[in-house]
Amino acid sequence: MPLPLPIATARTTLRPFTDNDVDDLLDYHARPGVARYLLEGPLDRAGVIAKIERHKTQIGLDTDARAVAVAVEYEGSVVGDVGIWLLDETNERAEIGWVFSPEVAGKGLATEAVAAFIDAVFAHFPLHRLEAQMDGRNDASARLCERLGMTREAYLREDFWSKGEWTDTIKYGLLASDRTK
């Protein structure tokens, strides 16, 4: 069953992607600084269109996509995207990831939006565990994990080959039971 959307927070709306989101996503996904710690490089218009088409199918963990992706809207523009995807056949472990425009850094919008998304996902799907992993240099995402109450569980040295270099990986975890403490 799809995740009920939209999800409204005090300042953001988490909603499905639409074809009208291309320019907003291109604004931040095309920036080398934004793509620095992502698996893919900066996206061009065709790459953003393909991303939106893929995200439009990611509406539920119990669908063929086994993923949920949402656009984060603030003051009428998409300023971020958040997604989760199942990690194994138990259907109880998922990974979360996000990308936000640098224009909204420091405003607490990522924390607000991702926390609401996590709450909705845990309320709607029978997940036991949510994980986040990132490049070891991605201090902003690590700080976001900590603000979300996630526990830093591992720091793996030079364990991933990305964009022509060995990179470190930080792993965070959050149990469904952590949200009720």
Side-chain angles (χ1 to χ4, degrees):
M1 178 178 304
L3 183 67
L5 296 173
I7 300 167
T9 72
R11 299 176 295 163
T12 68
T13 302
L14 287 68
R15 60 163 178 78
F17 286 88
T18 72
D19 293 335
N20 295 329
D21 297 332
V22 172
D23 290 334
D24 287 347
L25 264 69
L26 187 60
D27 179 59
Y28 60 95
H29 275 283
R31 298 181 190 195
V34 171
R36 179 177 183 201
Y37 302 126
L38 301 178
L39 297 177
E40 58 199 10
L43 297 179
D44 59 12
R45 181 170 286 279
V48 167
I49 290 169
K51 179 182 263 316
I52 289 171
E53 287 305 309
R54 186 173 60 254
H55 284 338
K56 288 190 320 190
T57 69
Q58 296 172 329
I59 59 170
L61 297 178
D62 50 0
T63 66
D64 289 341
R66 298 173 46 90
V68 178
V70 295
V72 178
E73 189 174 303
Y74 170 67
E75 295 183 345
S77 297
V78 175
V79 297
D81 43 278
V82 183
I84 63 165
W85 51 96
L86 290 173
L87 290 172
D88 60 28
E89 297 306 315
T90 68
N91 296 337
E92 294 179 358
R93 287 181 55 233
E95 185 172 341
I96 188 168
W98 48 75
V99 181
F100 281 87
S101 170
E103 306 306 320
V104 297
K107 296 182 180 183
L109 294 174
T111 304
E112 181 179 320
V114 177
F117 184 66
I118 289 172
D119 287 343
V121 164
F122 274 131
H124 191 70
F125 299 108
L127 285 179
H128 170 71
R129 177 179 170 80
L130 192 58
E131 301 173 13
Q133 61 179 337
M134 65 219 57
D135 186 298
R137 299 167 293 185
N138 192 343
D139 295 332
S141 282
R143 286 191 308 271
L144 176 56
C145 286
E146 291 164 8
R147 286 192 304 273
L148 295 167
M150 299 182 87
T151 300
R152 181 171 161 169
E153 298 176 336
Y155 189 96
L156 306 171
R157 297 178 310 128
E158 296 185 13
D159 74 315
F160 190 74
W161 183 258
S162 178
K163 300 177 183 171
E165 65 181 323
W166 284 105
T167 61
D168 299 348
T169 301
I170 303 174
K171 293 192 176 200
Y172 283 84
L174 182 70
L175 303 178
S177 60
D178 293 338
R179 298 304 274 183
T180 59
K181 291 180 182 176

